[in-house]
């Protein structure tokens, strides 16, 4: 449309209304229909689902690119393919940008990147979470290196904001090449099945280089990243369910690292007995159970939000509320690989601990661990280095930390799961706890190897020595007698004991060594 340069204010306002309507409407109805035909919402529809109704304040809706060549000078749509601004989620300010796939396939150019840079800078300055709704074809090829530089600016800002404001990436379409690194730098990645994919090199390149044939979803779909690679924290069947959970996650998080997460007063009594815990966890240390049942019994109203539920399932990480206060829970999962720690479980728990520490979220660690997973693959894969990530994360954390030993806690895994020796503020245990270098049978075989081998009845001697080791070193009060456990409690007192310990620690202050930053194992 032509732009008026003269005329009364009323005419200018009419023109402004027309321009803004053009910007809000997008390219044309056919483009919107094509988006819907793929099972995808438009960028503005997504923003509408994410934010509280009527709260969105858009910025730079009238931005247009200034590139020339390859026909770009004749195609200069408003917004340049990305919607940016802020609004509220449950009444709290949240910044957002959303790629509009209908315009240049959501590809990033100079003006597009500048809009994203601005909203990221505003989010950091305001101290509010940033949510990116990703549905783009990567760098705008026609703009060359300026598009690539735009991604560099995004990556730099992702890193600067890390640990300062929550950053959430929602994958609602393709994300290939260098573009995939921005989500990887954020705190949480949400994906939608069938319509969202992430990969560095696509199926065609993979086939050309390796000869392997694979689909886009098989290479980088939601379930692949939620269960195999660990890149995605969550996977959903549709966009509405995905965005509803983004809203829920935001309700559990502080706006920035200088605030605490919002407290929601609970009708669930803080001193409610948890008598069912006496039955949920079997006395037999070799018998499996689902640690989620323990978490449900402990937390407010049985509600918890599990992070990365499909990846590294031998450890459970969840955000919960205890007496209305948001708390992070890290727990061994005996129903998956007996709850051992391996490479992936160590990485998953370490990143969650770091996130909670960065955003002042207290930590409760539920321990029932037989040790680290043995095996050539684990050793050659760097279990020492990866296990050290979890150790470093706990040792470095200054938030309130409470450890609860439910049953077995063996070897180095006991130390790594936030033991008193690495800085847990309070360590509690149930009467069923067994803390030792290793299980009684293995320990007896090592300590009394010669005596057992020389006996006329090795089995009888072994059984006797196992009982001897258990009675001397593995009884539930051994660690308490030495101050490594603060109290042995009735499982029915678990909820009240955890809430009491966290209440005592709420004003915890920890001195941090003077340093630029540590050098954690990566």
């Amino acid at each position: 449309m032509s732009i008026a340069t003269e005329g009364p204010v009323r005419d200018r306002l009419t023109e402004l209304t027309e321009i803004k309507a053009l910007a809000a409407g997008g390219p044309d109805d056919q483009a919107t229909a094509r988006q819907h035909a793929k099972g995808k919402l438009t960028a503005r529809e997504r923003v509408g689902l994410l934010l509280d109704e009527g709260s969105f304040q858009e910025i730079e809706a009238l931005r247009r690119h200034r590139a020339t060549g390859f026909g770009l000078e004749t195609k200069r749509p408003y917004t340049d393919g990305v919607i940016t601004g802020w609004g509220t989620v449950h009444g709290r300010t949240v910044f957002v940008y959303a790629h509009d796939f209908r315009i240049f396939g959501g590809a990033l150019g100079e003006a597009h990147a500048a809009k994203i840079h601005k909203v990221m800078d505003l989010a950091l300055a305001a101290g509010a979470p940033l949510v990116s709704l990703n549905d783009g074809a990567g760098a705008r090829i026609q703009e060359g290196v300026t598009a690539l530089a735009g991604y560099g600016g995004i990556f730099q800002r992702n890193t600067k904001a890390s640990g300062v404001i929550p950053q959430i990436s929602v994958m609602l379409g393709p994300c290939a090449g260098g573009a995939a690194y921005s989500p990887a730098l954020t705190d949480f990645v949400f994906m939608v099945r069938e319509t969202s994919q992430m990969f560095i090199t696509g199926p065609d390149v993979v086939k050309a280089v390796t000869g392997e044939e694979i689909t886009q979803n098989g290479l980088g779909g939601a379930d692949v990243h939620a269960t195999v690679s660990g890149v995605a924290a969550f996977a959903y069947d549709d966009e509405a369910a995905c965005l509803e959970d983004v809203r829920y996650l935001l309700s559990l998080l502080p706006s920035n690292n200088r605030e605490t997460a919002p407290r929601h007063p609970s009708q669930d009594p803080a001193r409610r007995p948890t008598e069912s815990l006496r039955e949920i966890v079997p006395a037999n240390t070799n018998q499996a159970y689902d640690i989620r049942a323990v978490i449900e019994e402990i937390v407010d109203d049985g509600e918890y939000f599990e992070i990365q539920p499909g990846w590294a399932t031998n450890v459970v990480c969840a955000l919960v509320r205890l007496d209305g206060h948001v708390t992070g829970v890290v727990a061994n999962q005996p129903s998956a690989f007996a709850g051992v720690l391996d490479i992936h479980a160590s990485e998953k728990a370490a990143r969650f601990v770091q996130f909670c520490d960065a955003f002042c979220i207290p930590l409760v660690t539920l321990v029932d661990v037989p040790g680290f997973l043995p095996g050539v693959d684990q050793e050659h894969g760097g279990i020492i280095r990866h296990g050290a990530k979890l150790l470093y994360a706990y040792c470095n954390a200054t938030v309130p930390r409470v450890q609860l030993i439910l049953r077995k806690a063996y070897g180095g895994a006991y130390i790594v799961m936030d033991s008193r020796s690495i800085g847990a503020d309070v360590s509690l245990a149930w009467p069923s706890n067994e803390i030792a270098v290793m299980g009684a049978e293995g320990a007896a075989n090592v300590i009394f190897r010669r005596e057992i081998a020389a006996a006329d009845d090795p089995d009888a001697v072994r059984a006797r020595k196992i009982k001897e080791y258990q009675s001397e070193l593995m009884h539930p009060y051994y660690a308490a007698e030495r101050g490594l456990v603060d109290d042995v409690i009735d499982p029915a007192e678990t909820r009240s004991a955890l809430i009491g310990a966290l209440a005592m620690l709420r004003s915890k202050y920890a001195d941090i060594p003077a340093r630029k930053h540590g050098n954690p194992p990566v």
Side-chain angles (χ1 to χ4, degrees):
M1 63 178 293
S2 60
I3 306 297
T5 57
E6 297 181 2
V9 172
R10 185 177 293 106
D11 291 344
R12 292 295 182 89
L13 291 176
T14 299
E15 180 183 67
L16 174 62
T17 301
E18 292 174 354
I19 291 174
K20 288 198 170 184
L22 186 63
D28 53 56
D29 292 340
Q30 289 77 18
T32 300
R34 288 192 295 271
Q35 183 82 346
H36 288 164
K38 297 174 185 176
K40 297 161 65 175
L41 301 175
T42 66
R44 293 185 185 278
E45 288 169 339
R46 290 163 175 166
V47 171
L49 285 177
L50 172 69
L51 300 177
D52 297 338
E53 185 175 357
S55 70
F56 183 50
Q57 300 292 312
E58 188 172 359
I59 57 173
E60 296 204 358
L62 306 186
R63 187 76 178 249
R64 303 164 84 183
H65 75 76
R66 55 189 177 184
T68 59
F70 305 101
L72 284 178
E73 62 273 12
T74 64
K75 293 181 63 177
R76 300 180 63 236
Y78 292 111
T79 75
D80 201 48
V82 64
I83 312 301
T84 56
W86 72 88
T88 60
V89 173
H90 301 301
R92 299 162 64 220
T93 300
V94 172
F95 287 79
V96 61
Y97 68 86
H99 299 294
D100 190 340
F101 195 83
R102 300 171 302 166
I103 298 175
F104 298 126
L108 180 139
E110 180 188 27
H112 183 121
K115 291 182 64 175
I116 295 175
H117 294 170
K118 178 177 285 188
V119 80
M120 294 179 80
D121 290 340
L122 282 172
L124 190 60
L130 173 70
V131 178
S132 63
L133 305 179
N134 298 270
D135 185 7
R140 195 173 299 170
I141 299 172
Q142 300 95 318
E143 294 196 31
V145 70
T146 57
L148 296 178
Y151 273 122
I154 293 172
F155 303 157
Q156 184 189 48
R157 287 167 173 81
N158 284 140
T159 304
K160 185 178 179 181
S162 180
V164 181
I165 57 172
Q167 299 180 84
I168 297 173
S169 296
V170 188
M171 315 311 296
L172 301 167
C175 186
Y181 283 114
S182 177
L185 289 168
T186 60
D187 299 306
F188 300 101
V189 175
F190 289 70
M191 294 188 74
V192 175
R193 295 182 178 93
E194 302 303 323
T195 58
S196 65
Q197 302 88 27
M198 295 174 66
F199 36 69
I200 299 301
T201 54
D204 292 341
V205 176
V206 170
K207 182 179 179 180
V209 174
T210 70
E212 299 170 286
E213 293 193 18
I214 192 167
T215 64
Q216 288 194 350
N217 280 319
L219 182 63
D223 286 323
V224 168
H225 286 309
T227 63
V228 179
S229 72
V231 170
F234 312 98
Y236 298 87
D237 291 330
D238 61 81
E239 294 187 14
C242 176
L243 292 169
E244 183 59 35
D245 263 7
V246 174
R247 287 175 56 85
Y248 181 55
L249 175 58
L250 286 167
S251 76
L252 294 166
L253 303 180
S255 292
N256 56 64
N257 64 344
R258 299 181 303 277
E259 299 181 7
T260 56
R263 180 173 185 256
H264 286 230
S266 174
Q267 300 301 313
D268 195 349
R271 302 189 67 82
R272 168 174 56 82
T274 50
E275 295 177 359
S276 65
L277 294 181
R278 296 171 179 169
E279 308 299 329
I280 290 174
V281 180
N284 181 354
T285 57
N286 294 320
Q287 188 174 341
Y289 64 94
D290 192 341
I291 194 66
R292 295 182 183 91
V294 175
I295 296 172
E296 287 177 6
E297 180 63 18
I298 293 171
V299 304
D300 292 357
D301 305 309
E303 294 182 2
Y304 63 95
F305 192 62
E306 187 173 355
I307 310 298
Q308 294 182 300
W311 185 64
T313 55
N314 39 328
V315 68
V316 171
C317 299
L319 291 169
V320 307
R321 283 193 172 93
L322 285 167
D323 195 27
H325 295 277
V326 176
T327 304
V329 171
V330 179
N332 304 113
Q333 175 57 290
S335 68
F337 306 106
V340 296
L341 288 177
D342 61 4
I343 289 172
H344 288 162
S346 298
E347 287 187 331
K348 173 180 171 178
R351 182 160 174 78
F352 182 71
V353 168
Q354 287 178 162
F355 174 82
C356 290
D357 186 52
F359 290 102
C360 307
I361 298 173
L363 286 160
V364 168
T365 304
L366 306 180
V367 185
D368 190 349
V369 62
F372 282 94
L373 180 65
V376 175
D377 288 346
Q378 288 289 306
E379 296 295 342
H380 288 184
I383 185 61
I384 295 172
R385 176 168 51 88
H386 294 287
K389 294 178 182 179
L390 180 54
L391 181 61
Y392 189 99
Y394 268 125
C395 290
N396 201 48
T398 59
V399 292
R401 292 155 50 188
V402 180
Q403 180 198 48
L404 173 63
I405 302 167
L406 310 184
R407 205 167 55 168
K408 56 188 178 294
Y410 296 159
Y414 152 68
I415 300 173
V416 169
M417 289 297 291
D418 204 20
S419 63
R420 281 299 302 272
S421 60
I422 66 168
D425 298 296
V426 174
S427 179
L428 304 172
W430 288 354
S432 52
N433 83 84
E434 292 183 359
I435 306 174
V437 175
M438 62 178 67
E441 185 173 345
N445 287 336
V446 172
I447 298 172
F448 306 109
R449 180 178 65 253
R450 294 181 181 177
E451 187 174 343
I452 292 171
D456 294 334
D457 187 349
D459 291 339
V461 172
R462 181 182 293 106
R464 187 170 69 252
K465 293 301 182 182
I466 289 172
K467 288 184 179 180
E468 181 181 328
Y469 184 83
Q470 288 175 323
S471 64
E472 289 292 326
L473 296 176
M474 293 184 67
H475 64 78
Y477 310 106
Y478 184 85
E481 291 171 0
R482 286 153 181 80
L484 297 174
V485 166
D486 292 296
D487 197 10
V488 179
I489 64 171
D490 181 343
E493 301 170 358
T494 300
R495 174 174 164 84
S496 60
L498 292 176
I499 288 174
L502 291 171
M504 175 273 294
L505 291 165
R506 198 150 291 131
S507 58
K508 175 185 175 181
Y509 175 80
D511 285 322
I512 301 174
R515 61 183 179 185
K516 186 175 182 181
H517 57 74
N519 184 25
V522 295

